Amino acid sequence: SQKIEQNSEALNIQEGKTATLTCNYTNYSPAYLQWYRQDPGRGPVFLLLIRENEKEKRKERLKVTFDTTLKQSLFHITASQPADSATYLCALGGKLQFGAGTQVVVTP
Amino acid sequence: NAGVTQTPKFRVLKTGQSMTLLCAQDMNHEYMYWYRQDPGMGLRLIHYSVGEGTTAKGEVPDGYNVSRLKKQNFLLGLESAAPSQTSVYFCASSWGLAGAVSSSYEQYFGPGTRLTVT
């Protein structure tokens, strides 16, 4: 069965540093991958979509890479700010199978 | 635009009771989805719809039914609630071609419904 893995441990990072999150998957070859942000008590909010023929996608301070050989996506937040503190979810495929998410905590 | 709204926000049920969760979207999206989110397990797809009058099963459909009588509304029903259905339920919608197998467009989520079954 398809499996999506995100680091379950919270990522604690100092303001101004780059946060890097990983999303690994097995038994699947998605045509695209999406990243969402979720704040406590709220629904996920879409951030970025990257397709299998794209190596990298950027949006402001966010960068996503997609390596279909390694079956892995990396999500970077550069110059992190306390407002970036949230849980970040990756999702694969047409009906979107979600990972459990990684919590990011940015401290001043 | 309100986006995606869900009713109610909170609900407590006793085992065996039934209820309906309502999802409404005002973006004219073809696709609508129901997920449940449990600690450490991420979002799991319950049922979805690729257009008015259509529904399909997702990853965890047992114990739930859905209906999409109007394009803007997607209802999730629990016929006989069980403690295992205690969860946070999210509705989402997205663009896509009506009737297609899937959509690659971003999903817009509602604020969630926190359901407790005792």
Side-chain angles (χ1 to χ4, degrees), chain A residues 6-18:
Chain A
Q6 292 187 258
N7 196 336
S8 59
E9 290 184 17
L11 178 63
N12 291 285
I13 192 164
Q14 197 171 12
E15 184 176 6
K17 302 292 186 183
T18 296

Side-chain angles (χ1 to χ4, degrees), chain B residues 41-83:
Chain B
M41 297 191 71
L43 288 156
R44 291 183 291 168
L45 183 64
I46 305 171
H47 286 281
Y48 64 101
S49 168
V50 299
E52 181 179 317
T54 76
T55 63
K57 293 179 180 180
E59 182 186 353
V60 288
D62 294 341
Y64 306 94
N65 56 75
V66 288
S67 64
R68 183 103 181 265
L69 299 180
K70 293 183 179 181
K71 187 176 183 179
Q72 64 267 34
N73 295 336
F74 197 27
L75 278 62
L76 177 70
L78 283 71
E79 297 169 339
S80 179

Side-chain angles (χ1 to χ4, degrees), chain A residues 2 32 34 36 38-39 41-47 49 51 87 89 93-101, chain B residues 33 35 37 40-45 48 57 59 90 101-112 114:
Chain A
Q2 302 162 15
Y32 59 89
Q34 300 185 8
Y36 288 77
Q38 186 173 24
D39 292 288
R42 308 192 74 160
V45 175
F46 173 79
L47 296 174
L49 180 151
R51 300 187 186 279
T87 297
L89 312 172
K95 291 183 280 292
L96 290 191
Q97 184 167 354
F98 282 83
Chain B
Y33 314 80
Y35 294 91
Q37 186 173 39
M41 297 191 71
L43 288 156
R44 291 183 291 168
L45 183 64
Y48 64 101
K57 293 179 180 180
E59 182 186 353
F90 287 101
V101 174
S102 64
S103 165
S104 64
Y105 292 94
E106 66 188 86
Q107 294 193 3
Y108 293 80
F109 283 82
R114 186 172 294 276

Side-chain angles (χ1 to χ4, degrees), chain A residues 29-75:
Chain A
S29 297
Y32 59 89
L33 184 149
Q34 300 185 8
W35 283 89
Y36 288 77
R37 168 185 173 140
Q38 186 173 24
D39 292 288
R42 308 192 74 160
V45 175
F46 173 79
L47 296 174
L48 284 164
L49 180 151
I50 185 166
R51 300 187 186 279
E52 61 180 340
N53 60 349
E54 298 174 314
K55 295 295 184 186
E56 182 179 297
K57 201 81 169 277
R58 292 176 185 262
K59 178 182 177 182
E60 297 174 350
R61 294 183 295 107
L62 307 179
K63 185 179 84 171
V64 173
T65 63
F66 192 11
D67 189 324
T68 56
T69 301
L70 291 178
K71 294 188 181 293
Q72 179 182 78
S73 175
L74 298 179
F75 178 83

